[in-house]
Amino acid sequence: MGDGLPARGAVALSLFWRTFFLLAVLLMGGVFAWVQTFRALEFEPRAVQSAQQIASLVNLSRAALKYVDGIDRVTLVKTISAGEAVKVLPREPGDKWEPFEQDRFSKAIGQELRSKLGPDTLVASGVNGVSGLWVGFSIDRDPYWLQADPTRVQPMAGSSVVLWVTIALLATVLGSAGIARLINQPLRDLSFAASRIRDGEYESQLDENTLTSEIRQVNMGFNRMARELAKVEEDRAVMLAGISHDLRTPLARLRLEAEMSVYDEEAKRNMALDIDQLDAIIDKFMDYARPGEVKLVPVHVSSLVEREMAGFRDPTQIRIASRVAIDTKVMADETELGRVFQNLFENARRYGRSTDTGIARVQVTYARTGPWVILSVRDYGPGVAPEKLKQLTTPFFRGDAARTAATGAGLGLAIVEKAVQRMGGHFELANALDGGLVAHVRLKKAP
């Protein structure tokens, strides 16, 4: 039952998530690259603009103070400081100031201010314990401080960058999910159509008018393949039905002639057995070629097993014991499930006989695991070589023990596997630990 599962430790991602993650990583890398590029390109213009604004304030203040006398200059300084966010104060020799130029952005502003106002311009981030943007300049050898709002010369706020990056990442995730869904939708449709064909439904209707040329070609080819498979299946069913009819007619005549013309009772009995065997082989061929349409309904397993057990009455060949609870129900086609048990019992009768008694002892058990019911049919015969277990369900394959007494068509277990798959279940063969072959049939539990 583990066929097709990823190796232990491996992480299995659907194509949707793989496409989504690749697109998301690509677009997120683009967002971060865009942010870094924007900050690099925005850095110098912002520094220059900020320095020009401060230089303009200094020049306006210098022009306003330059052409007034000393008494009026003091009055003007007080008026500017009281009415505006910009303050102009006399610079005293004992003033203590802290350098403004601490990082790359502030150094660029300081250099720009000195280029605009002169090389003796001072730029400070605090004077006498008062924080702000302080620019020192002189008017007729009188030193002054101009205090401006420091927010005028700050780079773009980190919170703004984080907000825009968050919005961009959210749009990236949503866009990646939408693109991945659009890319994978045709593949999802193709996978669903392929699973329907696997179940025997050949009416594929993939879109042949899609705008993507490659997808359109794939859909057209798939639909054409489905139509061809449906025709092959129909021809095969007609052919097998004709073969069955054509073979059974001469077999019936042979049986009648043997009864009327052969006087040796032993020869007559052997001929009858050979005719019965041929008839059984034809039935096996018809069972294997049966169309895949099944109708799943709740089936009481215990009563069905009892009914199939009744067909194997000879205790000198096979003895069957069932331990299936009476309330065990599965979703199955009753005819198909009956055919499954019939073939498993017949396989045990032929090849599962114990070496000491020559009688095939068969035990039917069950187990419930989540939404599944596992029905096990076990014999106590010689078992099968482990390397040949997977080949037992191959049509016309027989194990070594079966080859020596081959009386069937070699289709019994192949019919079982095909029937179980048609009912949406799984079939597995294994050797029991204490000898014998165990067949596990896993079907959906009925509500």
Side-chain angles (χ1 to χ4, degrees):
M1 297 180 189
D3 294 346
L5 294 178
R8 183 175 297 179
V11 178
L13 288 178
S14 67
L15 186 59
F16 171 84
W17 288 112
R18 182 173 179 271
T19 307
F20 171 77
F21 283 131
L22 290 176
L23 284 173
V25 169
L26 176 63
L27 294 178
M28 286 180 182
V31 168
F32 282 110
W34 169 80
V35 170
Q36 294 301 322
T37 303
F38 173 76
R39 295 184 68 178
L41 295 176
E42 179 259 359
F43 173 83
E44 185 175 352
R46 181 176 286 271
V48 171
Q49 182 183 21
S50 301
Q52 289 176 346
Q53 290 178 353
I54 299 301
S56 298
L57 290 175
V58 171
N59 288 330
L60 288 173
S61 300
R62 179 182 287 169
L65 297 174
K66 186 175 183 179
Y67 300 105
V68 296
D69 56 25
I71 298 176
D72 293 335
R73 183 176 293 177
V74 172
T75 303
L76 181 59
V77 166
K78 291 182 178 179
T79 303
I80 294 174
S81 301
E84 301 291 340
V86 178
K87 294 182 180 181
V88 178
L89 301 174
R91 189 171 70 195
E92 304 295 338
D95 287 345
K96 296 180 179 180
W97 56 278
E98 300 174 3
F100 174 76
E101 299 170 71
Q102 300 292 336
D103 53 26
R104 181 166 167 251
F105 185 75
S106 58
K107 288 179 181 179
I109 292 177
Q111 292 176 359
E112 185 68 20
L113 285 173
R114 279 189 287 273
S115 68
K116 297 287 185 183
L117 302 175
D120 60 340
T121 303
L122 298 178
V123 184
S125 62
V127 175
N128 297 327
V130 179
S131 299
L133 174 61
W134 298 80
V135 180
F137 63 96
S138 299
I139 302 176
D140 298 332
R141 297 183 180 180
D142 293 332
Y144 289 91
W145 288 110
L146 182 143
Q147 181 188 14
D149 185 0
T151 58
R152 293 175 178 266
V153 294
Q154 287 181 351
M156 180 179 289
S159 59
S160 299
V161 175
V162 171
L163 176 62
W164 285 108
V165 168
T166 302
I167 294 174
L169 291 179
L170 181 60
T172 295
V173 171
L174 295 177
S176 299
I179 293 172
R181 182 178 179 84
L182 289 175
I183 292 175
N184 293 318
Q185 184 62 45
L187 296 177
R188 189 182 299 111
D189 295 341
L190 181 61
S191 175
F192 177 72
S195 66
R196 290 186 60 192
I197 286 183
R198 181 193 63 196
D199 295 335
E201 301 178 18
Y202 298 104
E203 297 181 1
S204 174
Q205 296 294 333
L206 294 178
D207 186 9
E208 297 185 1
N209 298 315
T210 180
L211 296 178
T212 308
S213 60
E214 292 81 1
I215 298 297
R216 182 168 63 250
Q217 292 296 326
V218 170
N219 290 353
M220 292 172 65
F222 191 89
N223 289 342
R224 185 164 55 250
M225 180 194 70
R227 290 191 294 269
E228 292 296 328
L229 287 174
K231 186 176 184 302
V232 169
E233 183 69 17
E234 183 180 356
D235 292 344
R236 185 182 69 162
V238 172
M239 179 187 68
L240 287 173
I243 291 175
S244 173
H245 177 270
D246 293 342
L247 286 179
R248 281 197 165 104
T249 300
L251 283 177
R253 287 200 301 266
L254 281 174
R255 186 187 299 273
L256 180 60
E257 290 173 2
E259 291 291 337
M260 296 179 62
S261 303
V262 178
Y263 299 102
D264 188 334
E265 292 298 328
E266 184 176 357
K268 184 188 297 184
R269 184 169 60 252
N270 290 334
M271 291 179 68
L273 289 175
D274 289 340
I275 292 172
D276 289 339
Q277 182 180 340
L278 288 172
D279 198 48
I281 290 173
I282 293 172
D283 287 337
K284 292 295 183 184
F285 276 108
M286 295 302 297
D287 287 342
Y288 186 73
R290 194 177 303 276
E293 296 181 4
V294 294
K295 183 179 181 180
L296 301 184
V297 296
V299 176
H300 286 273
V301 180
S302 59
S303 59
L304 185 141
V305 171
E306 293 288 343
R307 186 186 72 196
E308 296 302 329
M309 286 169 52
F312 296 84
R313 300 187 183 91
D314 190 350
T316 62
Q317 292 188 354
I318 184 170
R319 297 175 185 177
I320 306 173
S322 175
R323 295 184 180 178
V324 180
I326 195 171
D327 61 340
T328 304
K329 293 192 298 183
V330 296
M331 296 301 297
D333 184 288
E334 187 169 356
T335 303
E336 289 286 330
L337 188 56
R339 190 174 292 112
V340 165
F341 281 107
Q342 180 183 0
N343 280 279
L344 290 176
F345 293 158
E346 180 64 25
N347 186 77
R349 184 186 68 81
R350 289 180 178 177
Y351 313 120
R353 300 185 184 186
S354 59
T355 55
D356 53 348
T357 64
I359 300 173
R361 292 189 298 115
V362 180
Q363 191 174 73
V364 184
T365 58
Y366 78 104
R368 294 187 177 99
T369 57
W372 299 93
V373 174
I374 299 178
L375 304 169
S376 301
V377 179
R378 183 252 172 98
D379 63 51
Y380 292 83
V384 179
E387 64 273 11
K388 295 183 179 179
L389 279 173
K390 291 185 178 180
Q391 297 175 274
L392 291 180
T393 55
T394 303
F396 309 113
F397 176 82
R398 295 186 178 90
D400 292 338
R403 295 177 195 271
T404 60
T407 58
L411 289 172
L413 295 178
I415 291 172
V416 170
E417 182 179 53
K418 191 173 181 181
V420 173
Q421 289 177 350
R422 282 199 294 253
M423 293 185 290
H426 300 275
F427 178 64
E428 185 181 65
L429 292 169
N431 284 315
L433 295 178
D434 53 347
L437 186 69
V438 185
H440 299 292
V441 177
R442 185 171 69 169
L443 295 170
K444 283 282 188 180
K445 183 169 58 177

